[in-house]
Amino acid sequence: DFGQNYLMTLQEKGNPIIFTNGDNDTFPLWYNQEVEGVGTDLRVCNLSYVQTDWYISQMKRPYYESEALPISWNPEDYMSGKNEVVWVAERMSEPLTVKQAFDFVRSEDANTKRDGENYLPTSRMYVPIIASEVAESGLFGEEYLSELSEQIDIKVNRRLTKSQMMVLEMLSSNHWKRPIYFAVTVGNDYYLGLEPYFELTGLAYQITPVASTNGQPRVNTAKMYDNMMNKFQYGNMNKPGIYIDENLMRMCRTHRMMFSQLADALIQEGQNEKALEVLDRAERELPQYNVPYDYTSATMAISYYELSEREKAEHILSQIADNSVEYLTWGVGLPREYQKSVQQTLAQQQAMLGFALQQFERYHSDELFEEYYQHY
């Protein structure tokens, strides 16, 4: 179910592409495509594998109903040992388009080498946004077309790996013909400053031609609400007594964080009724008795407070605070020579306890806060 939820996050038209990175956000998606026949028009591209020549060659071929990925590099440009890592040398004062920069990297001209090695002549690149291409794709409505950015700016920090270059190559060569997404579980090393153009739609960020005003990813509340409330399935995670291993627990908490982000965005838009529906659905599908509250649940408590659901908020915060106290009590009871090995965990738990107390202080009277303070 969780693998299918990643696929359901992507829009239905346009032959979408989703970048994944690890086992848990890749193999369940492949299972759904190979065994269940779900999302066979979507292309899952694993960024750990796209560092290799054989996988890039696979991505350049059609697969089920998915067209070949937009990669213009020739095999001799990405074969094993070639362009594994390309370092930056600031030789140009003006930024280059991704295509210009990669044409420089791939060139056989001796003037484009440094000590015989390929290099990037600038750390500043961009992908031009051409209004006619965005409009022709049909992937974005009028609300996007009226706010298009001129370009997607990319800042490279010292170097690019082959897999990072493939991401930028696809973004540049795609010309907005296909929707491109990053799974939320992909590390931000791959984002390369793209966050302002991200739009959260469920378990993935879609790259859009519009930059946010605050430089952070936006939430498409309409799409995400429909996905999480109507399309996603939650694998019977609310069945009492089931065993949830460590990996599955992380997936559960990822889903809980997505519920929380959606609820917060809905509150910011004044859609309080929908926000409450989302929070209550998270509680039903991923209940505390199976998926204990931790720091990923803190924003849910704040959202409940904002919606005047004090009892629900206090229940979550109290569980978080109790959990932190248990960790801290256990930690300080360890022999001193063992405490260093859990120092980071204890610092995190101390911070979470402090956060919970701050919220109690913010949303309660002085007398009631004093009770919480004395208790914890």
Side-chain angles (χ1 to χ4, degrees):
D1 280 355
F2 288 175
Q4 189 174 134
N5 290 348
Y6 277 100
L7 299 175
M8 293 297 100
T9 294
L10 316 186
Q11 62 188 63
E12 296 176 359
K13 63 179 182 178
N15 225 207
I17 302 163
I18 180 171
F19 295 130
T20 61
N21 194 45
D23 294 353
N24 296 323
D25 62 10
T26 303
F27 296 128
L29 283 67
W30 283 343
Y31 165 83
N32 272 275
Q33 292 179 315
E34 297 284 354
V35 181
E36 305 291 347
V38 174
T40 51
D41 59 326
L42 316 174
R43 181 61 70 99
V44 178
C45 180
N46 182 283
L47 297 176
S48 299
Y49 290 165
V50 83
Q51 184 72 23
T52 64
D53 52 3
W54 60 267
Y55 189 73
I56 296 171
S57 294
Q58 282 190 4
M59 293 297 99
K60 293 183 65 176
R61 297 197 293 266
Y63 186 74
Y64 286 139
E65 291 83 41
S66 169
E67 298 174 7
L69 293 191
I71 299 172
S72 65
W73 287 30
N74 298 316
E76 58 267 25
D77 299 320
Y78 60 79
M79 65 183 183
S80 181
K82 187 77 172 289
N83 295 321
E84 299 291 349
V85 177
V86 176
W87 294 85
V88 173
E90 295 288 0
R91 301 289 175 87
M92 296 184 178
S93 57
E94 296 297 321
L96 296 176
T97 67
V98 168
K99 184 180 185 309
Q100 290 170 332
F102 287 173
D103 283 348
F104 185 96
V105 168
R106 296 161 59 199
S107 171
E108 294 302 322
D109 189 332
N111 293 321
T112 64
K113 312 299 176 191
R114 186 179 63 167
D115 299 326
E117 297 290 332
N118 295 340
Y119 72 96
L120 272 172
T122 179
S123 62
R124 294 183 298 153
M125 297 187 291
Y126 66 95
V127 176
I129 297 175
I130 300 172
S132 59
E133 291 181 347
V134 178
E136 187 179 337
S137 74
L139 300 176
F140 301 95
E142 289 296 328
E143 67 275 19
Y144 294 90
L145 297 177
S146 62
E147 298 181 7
L148 291 180
S149 302
E150 291 185 3
Q151 61 192 40
I152 293 181
D153 292 309
I154 295 149
K155 183 71 169 67
V156 181
N157 183 19
R158 297 183 60 210
R159 65 171 194 166
L160 285 177
T161 63
K162 186 181 290 182
S163 55
Q164 289 172 324
M165 286 188 281
M166 286 299 102
V167 169
L168 296 179
E169 160 66 9
M170 284 185 256
L171 181 60
S172 174
S173 299
N174 183 49
H175 299 290
W176 305 104
K177 292 177 182 177
R178 298 169 69 171
I180 298 180
Y181 297 78
F182 279 94
V184 295
T185 35
V186 170
N188 58 13
D189 289 348
Y190 284 100
Y191 293 168
L192 299 170
L194 294 172
E195 290 94 330
Y197 308 94
F198 281 176
E199 195 168 77
L200 186 63
T201 59
L203 287 176
Y205 296 108
Q206 183 176 5
I207 303 175
T208 74
V210 176
S212 63
T213 55
N214 62 1
Q216 297 300 312
R218 302 180 302 278
V219 177
N220 188 319
T221 53
K223 286 184 180 180
M224 193 167 179
Y225 180 90
D226 184 42
N227 287 335
M228 298 203 69
M229 300 294 281
N230 300 321
K231 297 180 181 178
F232 281 18
Q233 300 186 60
Y234 299 96
N236 294 323
M237 290 297 107
N238 56 6
K239 183 179 179 180
I242 63 169
Y243 171 70
I244 302 176
D245 66 22
E246 181 181 357
N247 288 318
L248 191 54
M249 185 68 75
R250 284 203 302 270
M251 293 301 300
C252 289
R253 285 175 170 152
T254 296
H255 279 69
R256 182 181 277 166
M257 284 192 290
M258 295 306 104
F259 273 120
S260 182
Q261 288 191 47
L262 174 58
D264 180 64
L266 287 167
I267 291 171
Q268 299 305 316
E269 294 178 358
Q271 300 190 65
N272 289 359
E273 289 185 10
K274 280 191 171 182
L276 185 56
E277 289 176 17
V278 167
L279 293 172
D280 287 347
R281 179 71 179 275
E283 292 290 82
R284 290 197 304 274
E285 301 290 359
L286 304 166
Q288 185 269 338
Y289 56 76
N290 277 341
V291 187
Y293 297 122
D294 66 350
Y295 67 94
T296 62
S297 313
T299 50
M300 287 183 63
I302 296 174
S303 293
Y304 268 132
Y305 273 132
E306 295 293 328
L307 297 171
S308 301
E309 296 283 342
R310 177 177 288 186
E311 185 175 337
K312 294 176 180 178
E314 288 175 354
H315 173 69
I316 294 174
L317 282 180
S318 296
Q319 293 288 330
I320 292 173
D322 288 344
N323 185 59
S324 295
V325 168
E326 288 180 6
Y327 261 106
L328 293 169
T329 303
W330 165 76
V332 298
L334 290 173
R336 187 171 295 277
E337 62 269 24
Y338 296 133
Q339 288 187 10
K340 282 188 177 181
S341 65
V342 294
Q343 208 164 38
Q344 185 176 358
T345 298
L346 297 180
Q348 290 172 342
Q349 295 301 327
Q350 189 171 13
M352 278 311 305
L353 179 58
F355 175 83
L357 289 173
Q358 285 177 349
Q359 304 316 308
F360 286 140
E361 183 176 26
R362 178 181 176 187
Y363 290 101
H364 295 84
S365 64
D366 291 342
E367 294 79 9
L368 193 54
F369 166 69
E370 186 64 26
E371 289 183 24
Y372 283 112
Y373 185 80
Q374 292 299 329
H375 176 71
Y376 290 110

